[in-house]
Amino acid sequence: MTHAWTLEISLDGGPPERVALTRPRTVVGRHPACDIAIQDNNVSRQHAAVIIEGDTARVEDLGSRNGTLLNGTAIKGTVLLTHGDRIGIAKHVLRFVSSQGSDHGATSLLEDTEGVAGFLGVDAESEIVNEIDPAAAEANAQSDPHAARKLRALMEFSRLVGDAMAFEDLLPRLTDALCEIFPDAERAFVLLIDPESKRLVLRAKRIRGRAEPGPVRLSRSLLERVVASRRAILSADAGADSRFNVHESIIQSKIQSVLCVPVQREDGDVLGVLYLDSREIRAGFTAQDLEVLAGLAGQISRSLALALVHDEEIAHAKHLRDLEHARAVQQALLPREAPVIPGYEVFHHYEAARQVGGDLFSYVPLRGGRMAAVLADVSGKGVSAALVMAALQGEVRFGLASEPDVATALTRINDGFCRSGWDGRFATALVCLIDPARHHATVGNAGHHPLLVRAADGTVKEVADALGDLPLGYIPGHEYSSCEIEIQPGDTLVFTTDGITEALDNQGGLYGLERLAAVLAGPGESAEAIGHRLLADVARHTAGQVQSDDMCLMCIRRLPTAAGGGTGNGS
C-alpha cells in the first residue's frame, strides 16, 4: 500500500497548515532555500530534515543550535517517525501524519517510552464496573464505611514514602507503597504527563514475580479515559469487560482486574495516573479498593508536587552556582587592569545585565608599541552570548596580531566568526589601533556605534560612523574599511555599547547618543572623571529601572602635554 505523509505545521501557536512530504528529503530551517522555511532566529539555517525511505519516515537533527525535539525529547541523529509524532523546532510544532495511522483530530496520550506499549480500542456503548470522583473519595474519608481502611492506607503510605524529597527517590517508593497497600496487585505503575509533549510517560513501575517478555502492556484506552474524565475507574476482568474491546494488550497480558486513578494538582489539572492490575486475583479488585486508592490520590499528588518543587529549587541553586562559575570565567577573560599607554590614561567599566554578558572589551598590544582597543557587542544575553563573546575574543586577538591593517584584520575576524558556526548570532565591533608615538589612530567599525572623540575644549565629534560596514557574522568574505584620525592633546576617545545608549527611563525613553554627547561636553579633567560622570548620568536616567542590557564603556585620553607616562584606571 502506498503511504501518504504530511506535516501539520503550527508556527508560533498559529493554526496548522499541511505540507505534503513528496520528496525523499524535506529540509526545515530559517534559510529561504529550505523546503519549509521558518523565519525565527532560534531556528537554525538548516535545522532538521524529514527523510522518506521506502515505507519508513525518519526525522534528523542537522546539528541545529537549539536542538530538535520529538514528542518533547531531544533527538540525536535520525529517529523513526510514527503517525501523530510531534516534531518540536524552537517554539514551533510540526505534527507528522501518516495515511496508515488513525486520525481523529487528536494524537494518542500514551508515550511509548521505556518499553511501554498499548493499543487503542473503546466501545462507547458499554459500561464499566465502577467509576468515582477521587476528590469526593478524599473528602468523605472520615464519614464513609471504609474510613478505617483509608486511614490505615494513608498511614502506611506516609511510613513507606518517609522523608523522600527528591522526585527520583520518591517514585520507586511510591510503587513499593502501592504494592504494600494493595497486596493483590501484581503490577503497579506511575505515569506522569510530560509538560512539553502533553503525553503520559512511564516514570516508575514495580512488577511482582516474573515479568512478561517484551514491552510492558497497558490498556491505553483506559488510561485515556481516566485522564479525560478525571475519574477513577475499576475494571474487573478487563479482558472480558465490554467497556474495552478485546485487544492484544489485554489478551496477551491476561489481566483480570485493573485500578486506574488520576493524580491531580490543586488547580484540577491532571499530573498523571496510578495504574494497578493483577492476573492472579480471582474475584478482582473491589469497589472498596477503588475508594481507598482514589482517597490516596490527593496525598500522592501533594507528595509529587512537593518533590517537584524540591527538585526545582535544587536545580535553581545549581544553575546559580553554574552562572557564578561562568561569571568568574568571563571576568578572567576580560582585562583586569587598564593598560599603560605612554602619554595616555585609560578608564573602563563593564557591567553585565545578568551574571554573564555578551559585551567584549579588550586591549591588544601590538608590535612597535601600538595598542588596539576593541569594543564588541554580541547579539543576545546570558550564557549563550557569553560563550560567543569568549570565542570572538580569540578571533579578535588572532586577527589583530596577524594582520597590521585594521580593515583586513576585521575581514579576517569576520571570516573566523562565520566559520565558528554560531548560527543566528552576530556581533557589532569597534576597533581603534593607537600609535602613541605618532598620536595617530586607525578606526574600523563593524556595525557598531560611532567612536566619539571629545576634544580638549569640550566639543564632541563622531568618527567611523560613515564606514557603513556590516556586523560580524553576517556575510563571510565581506571586506571591511577603516579611517585614520590624529589624536590631539587632551582628546578623549569614548567607546560605548548600546547598554548605555539604549538605557531606558521609567517612561521607556532611550538615553541616546545626543544626551551622551552633551554629558561628554562637560569638564574633562581626566578619563576616569569623564567615565564616572557619564555612568552617573545614565544611572539618573534609568532611575532604578532594571538594567536591560550589558553596559560597557572605555575612555582613552591623551594627556594635555607630552610629558608624563601613561596611567591606567578601571572599574
Side-chain angles (χ1 to χ4, degrees), residues 537-558:
D537 192 62
V538 172
R540 283 191 293 271
H541 175 76
T542 56
Q545 297 295 304
V546 175
Q547 183 180 338
S548 60
D549 202 355
D550 306 328
M551 294 175 57
C552 191
L553 169 68
M554 299 167 68
C555 299
I556 302 176
R557 179 175 179 262
R558 181 183 172 186

Side-chain angles (χ1 to χ4, degrees), residues 69 72 87 151 225 233 239 291 347 354 366 387 434 437 441 454 490 518 531 539 559:
L69 304 181
I87 303 169
L151 181 59
R225 176 173 174 82
I233 290 178
E291 287 271 356
F347 169 84
R354 302 177 183 176
L366 302 173
L387 290 173
I434 300 172
R454 181 198 180 279
L559 296 173

Side-chain angles (χ1 to χ4, degrees), residues 136-337:
E138 184 179 21
N140 298 330
Q142 302 301 320
S143 59
D144 68 16
H146 312 305
R149 185 181 170 192
K150 287 184 179 180
L151 181 59
R152 287 196 303 271
L154 183 59
M155 294 175 64
E156 186 72 0
F157 171 78
S158 299
R159 181 184 70 82
L160 293 169
V161 170
D163 57 355
M165 292 295 296
F167 202 70
E168 295 304 323
D169 292 338
L170 175 63
L171 288 172
R173 293 199 196 186
L174 176 53
T175 53
D176 289 347
L178 291 174
C179 286
E180 290 295 323
I181 295 169
F182 299 92
D184 288 327
E186 185 179 1
R187 308 189 306 172
F189 302 96
V190 178
L191 301 100
L192 300 179
I193 293 180
D194 178 75
E196 297 294 331
S197 66
K198 306 302 181 184
R199 293 186 175 188
L200 283 173
V201 179
L202 178 62
R203 296 299 304 272
K205 64 183 176 181
R206 180 177 173 185
I207 301 176
R208 300 180 194 266
R210 184 175 60 86
E212 289 289 325
V216 174
R217 297 181 179 275
L218 304 176
S219 175
R220 180 175 288 176
S221 54
L222 180 56
L223 289 165
E224 292 186 334
R225 176 173 174 82
V226 166
V227 172
S229 68
R230 291 173 168 77
R231 296 178 69 81
I233 290 178
L234 164 64
S235 178
D237 193 12
D241 188 347
S242 60
R243 178 66 185 83
F244 306 103
N245 291 341
V246 183
H247 284 278
E248 184 183 6
S249 60
I250 295 295
I251 295 173
Q252 291 190 7
S253 297
K254 300 176 183 177
I255 299 300
Q256 297 291 320
S257 192
V258 178
L259 292 173
C260 196
V261 176
V263 178
Q264 296 174 254
R265 295 186 176 89
E266 292 293 333
D267 59 7
D269 286 346
V270 177
L271 179 64
V273 173
L274 307 176
Y275 186 107
L276 278 67
D277 61 26
S278 178
R279 295 170 295 182
E280 304 300 330
I281 181 172
R282 283 178 173 263
F285 291 117
T286 65
Q288 184 182 140
D289 293 326
L290 184 64
E291 287 271 356
V292 171
L293 183 57
L296 275 175
Q299 181 58 40
I300 293 173
S301 175
R302 287 186 284 274
S303 297
L304 291 172
L306 286 173
L308 284 171
V309 170
H310 171 269
D311 285 5
E312 287 173 0
E313 290 178 349
I314 295 296
H316 181 64
K318 181 179 182 300
H319 178 64
L320 291 179
R321 289 196 300 272
D322 290 344
L323 285 177
E324 193 59 31
H325 291 156
R327 187 191 68 82
V329 171
Q330 183 178 45
Q331 291 297 321
L333 294 174
L334 296 173
R336 294 187 178 182
E337 298 178 350

Side-chain angles (χ1 to χ4, degrees), residues 461-511:
K461 65 179 180 179
E462 297 180 355
V463 175
D465 185 36
L467 294 179
D469 278 324
L470 295 173
L472 304 173
Y474 263 51
I475 301 176
H478 177 71
E479 295 185 359
Y480 287 82
S481 55
S482 62
C483 67
E484 298 183 357
I485 61 172
E486 297 294 332
I487 308 174
Q488 303 298 327
D491 280 358
T492 304
L493 312 181
V494 180
F495 309 67
T496 64
T497 58
D498 57 11
I500 290 178
T501 57
E502 296 181 7
L504 301 175
D505 62 16
N506 55 16
Q507 301 297 320
L510 294 175
Y511 185 78

Side-chain angles (χ1 to χ4, degrees), residues 10-26:
S10 297
L11 298 181
D12 198 15
E17 299 180 7
R18 287 204 170 195
V19 176
L21 299 173
T22 57
R23 302 182 180 183
R25 184 181 178 87
T26 301

